[in-house]
Every structure is written in structure tokens, then in C-alpha cells.
Amino acid sequence: MIKAVLFDMDGTLLDTESTGLKAWQYIIDKYDLNLDLTLPIKSIGLNNKSMSELFYNELGADFPFKQYWQEGTEYLKKYEEEHGIDVKDGFEELSAYLKENNVKMLVATSTYHNSAIEKLKKAGIYEHFDGLIGGDEIENGKPAPDIFLECAKLAGYSTEECLVVEDSENGVRSALAADIRCIYIKDIKDINGELKSKVFRECKDLSQIIEVIKEVNFI
């Protein structure tokens, strides 16, 4: 029986991955970097530590990732202040159903804890959740299982009683490594077919998760 749903945030709850890529494009254009968005897209779902390691491995230890990340973050904050943060389709319907059926809602995000709270508040959905684990609260970021295992622990349920909702390859791999049933919803980039065959279900939007839970919980 599913007693808690563990949501990724960026790209799953919030339509923020596309704006994150806008920030990287801003950096690429500002410094005339010989890069495209391939590497930033590859980094979707990673926390800051894992993302920096990816960039250093691909571009060398002298790549000024910290500087670019800070400037990109400032650009992103200004963009979100001007344009707001959109919530993904089907959230209100799903949230109402989960609350009605006493299924807990938690967030497991690679974004740092306080920044995640700020984003969820800006989007107007923070109060819907029963807990949050950020990327700065675990030792190993996605695709390691740490964040979902810690989130299940925070929920107070076994991994068998939890369901993960993810949009990225790194996130799906993390859920599978934690041995938690995972629902995949495509956002920016589709995951590969082999990985997709391992998810519990694929949905088009958040509202479709309702039918999955009804099927599992017989309600």
C-alpha cells in the first residue's frame, strides 16, 4: 500500500528546468563559451556537488564552475521574481486526492533545502507538503539512492510503502537504486528506453498518478 509520495521538485513539481537552462545559456553567451546545452541537460537531477564534478570531469579542473553557477543562480532568481514559478499540470488535483486519502507528500530534491523551500513558497505550494529533504542534507546525490531513502525515513514508512515521482534520468536511477516504485513524467529530455522499462509507470502529468495509487491501494 502506498502511504507516501516522494516528489522530485525541479521539472516534476515545478516548471523550472527550462528556466535553469536559460540561465546556462545566459552564461554561455556572456562568456562566449565553446559549449552548448548538452552538458547542462546531462546534469539535470544532480545536486551542486555532483554537478560540479561532472563539469570538472568533462571540461577540466580549471573550469570556473563555482563562478558560473553563482552568476547563473542570480540570473535564475531574477527571472523567477519577474515571471514567477509555474506548477506542473495536475498538481492541485493530485494533492487534493492524496490529502483526502491520508497519503503523505514529501519533496526529495537536489536543490539545497532552504532554496527549495523558497521556490515552493514562490510557487504557492509549500504548505501542501509534509517534509522535505534537500541536496545538502545527504552525502551522495542522485543517482545514488541516499535522498529517497532519507525521505522515506522522514515520512516514517518503509520503501515498499513509498512511491517516487521523477522526471530525470539521474532521479529515476536514484529511485531504482533505493528500490522504491517510481513514476516517470517526461520534462526536458526523455530517458533511455532501457531505463524507462524499469519504472513502475509512465504518466503524462501529475493527475494521472491518482489512477496508479487507486490501482495499488485498491481505493
Side-chain angles (χ1 to χ4, degrees), residues 21-194:
L21 293 178
K22 287 180 188 293
W24 273 113
Q25 190 61 59
Y26 164 77
I27 295 298
I28 290 170
D29 293 341
K30 178 178 179 179
Y31 291 99
D32 194 24
L33 302 179
N34 186 26
L35 295 175
D36 58 20
L37 292 175
T38 301
L39 198 53
I41 290 173
K42 188 178 180 180
S43 73
I44 288 175
L46 299 179
N47 64 12
N48 183 268
K49 178 183 176 183
S50 298
M51 189 183 297
S52 64
E53 290 173 354
L54 173 65
F55 274 77
Y56 291 142
N57 288 336
E58 294 282 341
L59 303 174
D62 59 344
F63 182 77
F65 175 84
K66 184 176 181 180
Q67 174 192 341
Y68 292 163
W69 174 257
Q70 290 176 339
E71 290 189 31
T73 299
E74 291 172 5
Y75 173 92
L76 184 58
K77 285 184 177 180
K78 290 179 182 178
Y79 184 92
E80 290 174 347
E81 287 173 2
E82 293 177 8
H83 301 276
I85 300 177
D86 292 330
V87 179
K88 285 288 193 171
D89 292 343
F91 174 79
E92 291 296 337
E93 186 178 353
L94 174 60
S95 176
Y97 173 81
L98 295 178
K99 293 299 182 185
E100 182 180 348
N101 289 278
N102 298 311
V103 178
K104 285 187 176 181
M105 300 172 59
L106 294 93
V107 177
T109 175
S110 296
T111 299
Y112 283 8
H113 188 100
N114 290 339
S115 295
I117 290 176
E118 184 180 347
K119 281 191 172 186
L120 291 168
K121 285 183 176 180
K122 283 183 179 179
I125 62 171
Y126 175 68
E127 298 301 328
H128 289 262
F129 297 98
D130 301 293
L132 184 152
I133 298 292
D136 53 332
E137 297 177 280
I138 41 95
E139 183 176 353
N140 302 300
K142 302 174 185 179
D146 301 34
I147 194 163
F148 288 120
L149 293 175
E150 194 66 26
C151 200
K153 183 179 178 181
L154 179 63
Y157 296 116
S158 68
T159 54
E160 292 81 8
E161 296 172 306
C162 295
L163 180 71
V164 166
V165 186
E166 265 287 356
D167 73 289
S168 74
E169 180 173 318
N170 290 310
V172 170
R173 290 189 186 281
S174 176
L176 294 175
D179 198 24
I180 302 177
R181 285 174 288 198
C182 181
I183 287 181
Y184 166 65
I185 303 177
K186 179 186 175 183
D187 182 40
I188 296 292
K189 182 180 181 294
D190 205 0
I191 62 176
N192 67 65
E194 180 183 357

